[in-house]
Amino acid sequence: MKVGIIGSGGREHAICEVLKKSRKITKIYCFPGNAGTENISQNVNLDLENFKKLKNFILENKIGLIIVGPEKPLVDGLVDYLQKFKIKVFGPNKKASRLEGSKIFTKKLCKKYNIPTAKFGIFQNKKNAKKFLKNSKYPIVIKADNLASGKGVYICKNKIDANHAIEEIFNGKFGKAKNLLIEEFLNGEEMSFFTIHDGKNYKFFGTAQDHKRVFEGDRGKNTGGMGAYSPSRLINNKLQKKIVNKIIKPTLAGLSNQNTKYLGFLYTGLMIVNDEPFLIEFNVRMGDPECQTIIPKLKTDLYEIFLACCEERLNKLNVKWYNKKSLCIVLCSKGYPEGFKKNVEIKNLNKIITNQDKLLFHAGTIKKNKKIYAIGGRVLNFISLSKNFSSARKNIITAIHKLNWPGGFFRRDIGYKVIKK
Ligand code: AMP
Ligand code: GLY
């Protein structure tokens, strides 16, 4: 079978690499992919907003299964469109993707189905939002309703910060804003909880903790993710049951009552407060870099899992994992998440030895005349699987030093909560 992967990040390279191991796959296409996927698949550079061209390519090349990595095409309805042409697609439809596409949709669902989440208010204009601040306690959280790549969230320490957030959002910093959300600040520890769904059945797909801030000690601006580790230190059977019963099941019931199903990965972003899970957000895809961190631990053929999901028989499949700790460090271009140089050559990549436990996934890279160049903020993902997080992190830092890329920087403290000094 030929398969296609939509996306160009570390997440998509990781999926590509793991799928490559399946004996049932004859060819992989990446739309558009990166320098890493180019070695193991055919990169196809098509405009992802042009669904028709994409569909024509898929049909002409007889691609039997499409996996959608990022949220944008999901929220835009790519799955619904391709399914009309009887193309098998792994990913949620447009209706279900509102779980990520609209924070307000999710908040309303939480209210209706009693799903634990931060108390919230929805505001349609600056005046009402600012009026609400008069009686608020700080810190307070203010969020844009649109997809904003994690940047539309403000943790406000005082009224000045809060007023600034309201101004920026309604002035269109994240696109036209009809609404904004003001939320109670939850004080706890975050955890990302993953499940995989076939529309009817679902399975646990691991936990992780990512580090979103750019600098060590979790300081500085938010990024797409500077690194992650799996499993989270917080997970245990009791907590898992609470997450499933209080959050996942009622969410699926809510979608079902709106006549839709959930097929794809579901990323449940949680705050754990005194052993109780509170929903912070849903993402309708795997996390990046959580995906790179989690899927190398998979024992079961990922292709079989995707296919079972598309054929609504995930319950018949036993999903097995290696019992290892996994850690990922992201090597970024200097300056990220602000401005950074593009087209900077990365040398020494051939010095990085990879095997089952030491992996390297590309993100913002491109190959030109046999040379590899950085073109994005997050450039390379180094992953190590080990008995413990400490040796995983050491292995990675040794590998990054071998690369010795002067254009890059990384956080040395990924996993500090699970690694003793
Ligand atoms: P989101 O895009 O909704 O995941 O928010 C981005 C980040 O903001 C989260 O990963 C949390 O660190 C933080 N955050 C969001 N909502 C809250 C909240 N109600 N209380 C505390 N922190 C929050
Ligand atoms: N690492 C956070 C995300 O994928 O949204």
Side-chain angles (χ1 to χ4, degrees):
M1 158 100 73
K2 293 179 181 179
V3 300
I5 303 166
I6 312 273
S8 62
R11 169 182 49 212
E12 288 75 25
H13 184 191
I15 292 173
C16 190
E17 194 80 48
V18 174
L19 282 179
K20 193 191 70 175
K21 292 196 281 188
S22 176
R23 269 185 272 135
K24 302 219 172 115
I25 291 182
T26 51
K27 183 163 183 177
I28 306 178
Y29 296 86
C30 286
F31 303 88
N34 55 38
T37 63
E38 198 174 321
N39 289 333
I40 49 176
S41 73
Q42 181 179 335
N43 282 356
V44 185
N45 205 354
L46 286 180
D47 173 11
L48 291 183
E49 311 234 322
N50 190 334
F51 289 0
K52 195 172 164 197
K53 266 201 177 148
L54 191 60
K55 174 263 300 177
N56 287 343
F57 187 95
I58 293 166
L59 293 177
E60 276 160 23
N61 290 282
K62 302 194 170 56
I63 304 176
L65 171 67
I66 293 289
I67 297 116
V68 187
E71 62 277 18
K72 175 93 175 30
L74 295 168
V75 172
D76 289 347
L78 178 61
V79 169
D80 313 55
Y81 179 82
L82 295 180
Q83 279 173 343
K84 274 199 274 182
F85 299 92
K86 306 263 178 292
I87 295 169
K88 265 192 189 135
V89 203
F90 177 82
N93 62 31
K94 189 172 183 173
K95 222 169 164 186
S97 297
R98 284 180 299 172
L99 286 177
E100 177 165 0
S102 168
K103 290 185 189 294
I104 290 174
F105 170 80
T106 299
K107 279 297 200 185
K108 286 185 174 162
L109 195 85
C110 287
K111 200 165 186 177
K112 188 160 175 198
Y113 294 92
N114 236 340
I115 296 167
T117 188
K119 291 194 195 83
F120 69 100
I122 299 167
F123 300 89
Q124 273 85 27
N125 56 54
K126 288 184 191 175
K127 197 169 147 224
N128 289 350
K130 287 184 181 176
K131 205 158 108 192
F132 177 83
L133 294 181
K134 283 196 181 127
N135 301 315
S136 300
K137 279 196 220 128
Y138 292 89
I140 203 165
V141 185
I142 303 190
K143 298 182 177 181
D145 187 34
N146 328 36
L147 272 188
S149 310
K151 292 178 196 97
V153 177
Y154 296 77
I155 313 283
C156 306
K157 285 193 226 72
N158 51 45
K159 204 166 152 185
I160 299 170
D161 289 357
N163 275 313
H164 175 72
I166 292 169
E167 284 291 332
E168 285 205 339
I169 293 172
F170 277 125
N171 288 347
K173 184 156 183 190
F174 308 99
K176 195 170 166 10
K178 277 199 221 126
N179 302 289
L180 67 65
L181 212 74
I182 302 189
E183 265 183 39
E184 155 201 35
F185 178 80
L186 293 172
N187 198 359
E189 191 171 327
E190 280 182 70
M191 176 171 92
S192 304
F193 184 89
F194 297 91
T195 42
I196 186 165
H197 299 246
D198 72 358
K200 204 159 129 196
N201 315 284
Y202 65 90
K203 298 229 154 152
F204 173 64
F205 213 74
T207 60
Q209 176 58 62
D210 75 339
H211 292 264
K212 288 201 177 76
R213 302 292 200 94
V214 65
F215 297 132
E216 288 175 11
D218 291 327
R219 291 175 303 110
K221 292 227 152 117
N222 256 345
T223 69
M226 299 294 294
Y229 57 91
S230 170
S232 155
R233 67 169 179 170
L234 300 172
I235 195 68
N236 57 55
N237 284 341
K238 205 169 155 198
L239 181 61
Q240 186 163 334
K241 275 197 186 123
K242 282 185 194 169
I243 297 165
V244 166
N245 291 326
K246 295 185 177 189
I247 298 175
I248 309 288
K249 282 188 179 166
T251 299
L252 296 175
L255 290 180
S256 167
N257 289 342
Q258 297 193 23
N259 291 319
T260 197
K261 292 177 176 180
Y262 198 92
L263 192 169
F265 287 119
L266 182 64
Y267 167 153
T268 306
L270 299 160
M271 189 70 85
I272 311 300
V273 186
N274 301 325
D275 296 324
E276 286 297 322
F278 287 81
L279 179 70
I280 291 193
E281 62 162 353
F282 279 125
N283 293 314
V284 294
R285 51 174 173 85
M286 267 312 271
D288 182 333
E290 293 91 329
C291 182
Q292 298 87 300
T293 316
I294 292 176
I295 60 167
K297 292 201 288 181
L298 197 58
K299 252 191 210 172
T300 310
D301 184 336
L302 183 59
Y303 166 71
E304 296 289 357
I305 300 177
F306 286 147
L307 201 64
C309 286
C310 292
E311 293 173 356
E312 220 176 67
R313 51 175 177 79
L314 185 59
N315 56 333
K316 305 256 165 63
L317 204 74
N318 194 2
V319 179
K320 290 188 185 153
W321 300 89
Y322 292 107
N323 184 18
K324 287 183 185 168
K325 309 280 192 227
S326 176
L327 194 127
C328 166
I329 299 182
V330 183
L331 185 62
C332 300
S333 292
K334 279 181 185 162
Y336 174 77
E338 307 284 347
F340 53 83
K341 278 196 202 149
K342 288 191 177 173
N343 293 306
V344 183
E345 193 186 343
I346 312 169
K347 292 181 181 161
N348 298 335
L349 268 167
N350 55 353
K351 290 197 179 152
I352 310 296
I353 295 156
T354 57
N355 57 37
Q356 238 195 342
D357 289 333
K358 288 182 189 161
L359 303 111
L360 174 65
F361 298 129
H362 289 233
T365 64
I366 194 165
K367 203 171 183 178
K368 281 186 271 184
N369 303 324
K370 298 198 177 140
K371 290 181 179 168
I372 311 269
Y373 295 87
I375 54 162
R378 293 193 292 169
V379 180
L380 295 168
N381 302 268
F382 289 79
I383 291 92
S384 172
L385 271 56
S386 186
K387 285 198 298 294
N388 58 63
F389 288 120
S390 172
S391 61
R393 189 167 73 183
K394 272 193 205 129
N395 292 340
I396 293 173
I397 293 178
T398 308
I400 297 181
H401 283 148
K402 277 203 184 115
L403 185 71
N404 190 23
W405 182 48
F409 77 100
F410 66 99
R411 275 183 61 171
R412 281 155 219 274
D413 71 337
I414 300 300
Y416 67 84
K417 283 189 180 154
V418 287
I419 300 175
K420 284 195 200 97
K421 274 199 180 146

